[in-house]
Amino acid sequence: MYIHVNGELIPKEEAHISPFDHGYLYGIGLFETIRVYNRHPFLLDDHIERLNKGLQMIRINFECSTDVWKTRIDELLQVNGYSDAYIRINISAGIGELGLTANPYNDPTTIIFSKPLSVNGKISEKAATILKTKRNSPEGVFRLKSHHFLNNVLAKQELGNNPRREGIFLNEKGYIAEGIVSNVFWVKDRIVYTPALETGILNGVTRKFICSLLRRKQIELKEGFYEPDHLYDADEAFMTNSIQGIVPFYAVDKRHFPGNNGEITKILLNNYNKYRETLMSSKQLKKGLETDERQKTD
């Protein structure tokens, strides 16, 4: 297997980073996970936009266009022989002296990882549980997809390794936040609910896509502060992330849900599957839906 390190393709056995990299020493770095369907990196523009904004915030002076990242991803897919894959772009601060610094980082370490995935091999439904581990507050103004993952690791240790389960964080005030590796949604009386960004959650790229899709489909969406009982009282529920897409919940704790048979869930799944091999950004969704409507009337 090959990986991309600082712009070069190398066998994974030859890859290395310095022990003085501040990504290793202090967790200063960001990453993006991207799902490739039939060699198409779904919503890559949105991932790179979030990545570039985050790098500016933590003063890592590095920016590549979507075209550059796509070229590197294409090279990695080709050399490894993958068509459907998990991609992780990883940017750490780079080499520095021991001790914290207020200076910007001008020579970061960039790595692209990949592994093959099966389109038909995903788990179709999961059960979820409300965690005892609380979601920590974001370190800055908003949550970044950073290397600082200890809160998620502690939650995973609480939940265990069962791939058919997801843990749901409450924030420090007791409001529903997000999953260990996901954003969460639920439906009541055809209204879709999801925690507001102000609860301290990551603004997931797939979350953003689903919110945009709901508005385009004129399905009411409410973002806010909700306690667990609001979720337990729902008609259907699901999680989203960039690798697994939309995953319905068949249960949250002792409350059972229809899973794949949820009315709104089916609408979203059908549209996600329709656009996953074409869209580079959720901004393109409007054009895609308009094209679908024209085709219906032709």
Side-chain angles (χ1 to χ4, degrees):
M1 179 195 296
Y2 283 79
I3 65 175
H4 235 297
V5 180
N6 295 326
E8 295 185 8
L9 282 168
I10 61 173
K12 68 174 186 177
E13 294 81 9
E14 298 178 13
H16 66 274
I17 63 170
S18 168
F20 290 95
D21 192 306
H22 278 207
Y24 172 75
L25 288 175
Y26 304 112
I28 302 173
L30 303 177
F31 70 99
E32 292 287 331
T33 53
I34 299 148
R35 184 66 159 92
V36 173
Y37 295 98
N38 193 23
R39 299 186 65 86
H40 175 76
F42 184 47
L43 301 177
L44 181 61
D45 284 349
D46 293 352
H47 284 284
I48 301 309
E49 180 181 6
R50 182 174 67 178
L51 177 64
N52 288 337
K53 287 180 179 178
L55 291 172
Q56 290 177 6
M57 182 175 173
I58 62 175
R59 304 189 72 188
I60 293 179
N61 291 330
F62 182 86
E63 183 172 338
C64 274
S65 68
T66 299
D67 288 342
V68 171
W69 285 118
K70 188 175 186 308
T71 297
R72 292 181 178 181
I73 291 169
D74 286 343
E75 290 172 349
L76 193 59
L77 293 172
Q78 182 173 356
V79 73
N80 285 321
Y82 303 155
S83 294
D84 298 287
Y86 168 115
I87 295 291
R88 172 170 166 144
I89 296 174
N90 202 87
I91 301 181
S92 62
I95 298 171
E97 297 297 328
L98 289 174
L100 300 179
T101 178
N103 297 327
Y105 293 96
N106 296 314
D107 191 20
T109 303
T110 67
I111 305 175
I112 311 176
F113 304 88
S114 67
K115 66 179 180 180
L117 292 176
S118 171
V119 173
N120 297 319
K122 69 176 184 178
I123 297 170
S124 60
E125 296 179 336
K126 290 190 179 188
T129 188
I130 302 295
L131 297 164
K132 294 178 182 178
T133 304
K134 295 294 186 284
R135 192 59 165 131
N136 61 349
S137 298
E139 292 84 358
V141 177
F142 53 87
R143 189 173 298 279
L144 300 175
K145 198 170 180 69
S146 76
H147 292 181
H148 179 43
F149 237 54
L150 181 57
N151 189 215
N152 304 69
V153 170
L154 293 174
K156 184 62 176 178
Q157 290 173 351
E158 176 187 337
L159 182 69
N161 285 323
N162 187 342
R164 297 198 63 190
R165 299 191 65 82
E166 171 67 314
I168 298 176
F169 284 111
L170 304 182
N171 69 9
E172 294 166 343
K173 295 183 179 179
Y175 295 114
I176 298 170
E178 58 190 341
I180 298 175
V181 292
S182 66
N183 291 114
V184 294
F185 294 79
W186 59 95
V187 184
K188 179 67 175 180
D189 297 329
R190 290 187 58 82
I191 300 173
V192 181
Y193 296 87
T194 195
L197 297 179
E198 290 77 11
T199 60
I201 64 174
L202 179 73
N203 190 8
V205 166
T206 308
R207 176 189 186 276
K208 180 180 175 181
F209 171 78
I210 293 300
C211 290
S212 181
L213 179 59
L214 289 166
R215 294 185 181 106
R216 297 294 180 189
K217 289 286 186 179
Q218 298 184 332
I219 297 172
E220 187 173 357
L221 170 68
K222 292 186 177 182
E223 302 176 65
F225 298 82
Y226 305 106
E227 296 180 349
D229 284 346
H230 199 276
L231 171 56
Y232 293 146
D233 190 46
D235 300 322
E236 50 188 297
F238 58 92
M239 58 167 267
T240 64
N241 71 25
S242 292
I243 301 304
Q244 298 174 69
I246 302 169
V247 181
F249 290 137
Y250 67 83
V252 177
D253 292 327
K254 295 182 180 180
R255 175 70 166 88
H256 290 272
F257 293 102
N260 282 316
N261 294 318
E263 178 186 0
I264 300 299
T265 302
K266 286 193 290 186
I267 293 172
L268 297 175
L269 279 168
N270 288 338
N271 280 271
Y272 180 93
N273 292 338
K274 180 185 295 185
Y275 296 115
R276 68 189 186 186
E277 293 186 19
T278 57
L279 294 192
M280 294 290 286
S281 168
S282 57
K283 296 174 184 176
Q284 297 173 324
L285 184 58
K286 178 181 179 181
K287 183 176 180 181
L289 291 171
E290 288 174 347
T291 299
D292 291 343
E293 289 299 318
R294 285 197 300 271
Q295 291 174 346
K296 288 180 182 179
T297 57
D298 287 347

